[in-house]
Amino acid sequence: MADNEKQKYYITTPIYYPSGNPHIGHCYTTIACDCVARMKRMQGYDVMFLTGTDEHGQKIEKKAQEAGTTPKAYVDDIVVNFKKLWARLGISYDRYVRTTDDYHIETVQNIFTKLYKDGWIYKSEYKGKYCTPCESFWTDSQLVDGKCPDCGREVTDASEEAYFFKLSHFAPKLKELLLDEEKNFLNPKSRVNEMIHNFIDPGLQDLCVSRTSFSWGIPVTFDDKHIVYVWLDALTNYISALGFMNDTYNDYEKYWPADAHVMAKEIVRFHSLIWPSILMALGEPLPERIFGHGWITFGDGGKMSKSKGNVIDPFVLCDRYGVDALRFHLLREMVFGSDMPYSNEMMFNRYNSDLANDLGNLVSRTVAMTNKYFGGTLPVEKEFTDADNDLLEQLDQLPDYVSENYGNLHFSDALERIFRVIARTNKYIDENEPWKLAKDDSMKPRLAAVLYNLLDSIRRVTILLTPVMPHTAPLIYEQIGAGEDITGWYDSAKKHLLPADVTVKAGPVLFPRIDVEKELKELEALAPQKEEAPSDLEPLKELTKYDNFAALDLRAVKVLECENVPKSDKLLKFKVDDGFGERQVLSGIAKYYKPEELIGKTLAMIVNLEPRKMMGFESNGMILSVKHGDGYKVIEFPDTVKPGSDIS
Ligand code: MSP
């Protein structure tokens, strides 16, 4: 079929915030889309699979500030990590959109201007809660105990000039869209009621689409103290990446509307209410379908849990168990629409039962028997019987079921069914007992038929597993002697495509068994140390120049006198010998030492701090001490260290 005759299929992940590195949750959505994209390609579709990063906004601006860098430099680094992870996971995306890309900026600016000219965007005032030190607006629902969620300080009512999009206008049309049974716009269906009851029925508010209180965003061309506020910028990626209103790409006509926007449930609202409204205002077609899956949750309250060996660095998991094991785990265990608590233990158990025992063993047993009984090449003469029919029928029913379920993101149903057929195939071995047939020369044609059926079953299920386990499939084909010409998607529906005199080739164990207890312990030992750090440790400070250290004069000093400061339960007053003379210094360690304990000791001190007055006494420097339990311990040197000795 020529390229231009192919049916197109356009699938997208959300564009992720590069405010931190990607984690297993981002992996799920991306692997899910990859699986669908791979299947559609195998089915002959002209696929566009888009992913990317959502790089503007106040949070990124702040993170960059904290890291002492520019927002662009900050996101550049993290985008590298996203791309590395996608490469590691075998994600076959066709295009990667960054909202800082010039073409995207151009599209957003053009859309904003068009919507303004057409009257869908108007200028008004944004009212919210404002935290002055953070220079941030918050909505009531974002506040924590009525305070700024970032710094915990009081917020005040404030307003700023802003542009608004007439979202409220679209409420009736949105309701109609969501309730259209035939169109089946939003999946799973349960989210339809949520959208209608929680957002549309209570009354849709117009949407604030610009801000003036921070600057990391796309400027509004005709009013450049404003930047375009997040969702208009972010959602537009799905069409900017195709070249809508920009000249960089030229695929809008070909791929739009999207066939599937995939995301987790928390952003379904933006995709099923705001996005269609923007498109309606632009007069453009709406996406076919929106999929809102559940969350992968981590330990109590959705937080990352370090207990139970739950090290969930995807790179570590891929390195130890293989990329396909991780892909399989996520797609097999996550039931579409529901949440799934992440558990390595669950992954190991399923790996052992499905991949090591059922699939891995089926392949290695079948190849081993073909080698043993026929020297690796089956004879052409075979005797098929009715005893083969049940297995063949189950295989026949599989491709349609899998295709439909992968396409609807019901991966766990599809995989469950595939593995039922794999179990059925294993049972076929036990039913036909090849080891008995091998003992009787007259049964050779039957034995050849049994092994041929087994090899061909493996071929047929492997085709259907390819979108989930793209790295494993070629390894299996190599072992069972299946060439490219018989491993296309639709070849799964056809029986007996392997050559009649097929030759097998034993290979490495596909899925070595996992010792669950041992692996859980080893993963626990790999848990990042910083997670284990007691929470009372001060965070590490930023790097500083050597000169800042060199400017401090650190010396050993001998305590000549020491007494409590009157009316202070904290301060001790010292007279010390600094090697050049005597000086007075105060230290807040009265709770941890009696004065007489310290007299005669040689301690560490910063001697060139500017004098400070405390409780009426001048302090010339600072005695160094280290946090110890609930208190402090002075840093002590042996008696033989001369006062005034340099500490470096
Ligand atoms: N930038 C917005 C999306 C804009 S799309 C036009 C955003 N970014 S995000 O980095 O927070 O990504 C959210 C998405 O990442 C979720 O919708 C989901 O696809 C994926 N996931 C992030 N954590 C996840 C889990 N714990 N579980 C499942 N999916 C998760 O929102």
Side-chain angles (χ1 to χ4, degrees), residues 13-17 23 25-26 28-29 54 231 234-235 237-238 262-267 271 293-298 334:
T13 72
I15 46 170
Y16 305 111
Y17 292 128
H23 57 66
H26 304 110
Y28 174 74
T29 316
D54 186 359
W231 284 99
L235 290 160
N237 89 87
Y238 299 129
V262 181
M263 70 212 67
K265 58 189 177 184
E266 82 289 351
I267 55 173
H271 286 77
H293 60 71
W295 282 331
I296 295 181
T297 58
F298 308 100
M334 185 101 172

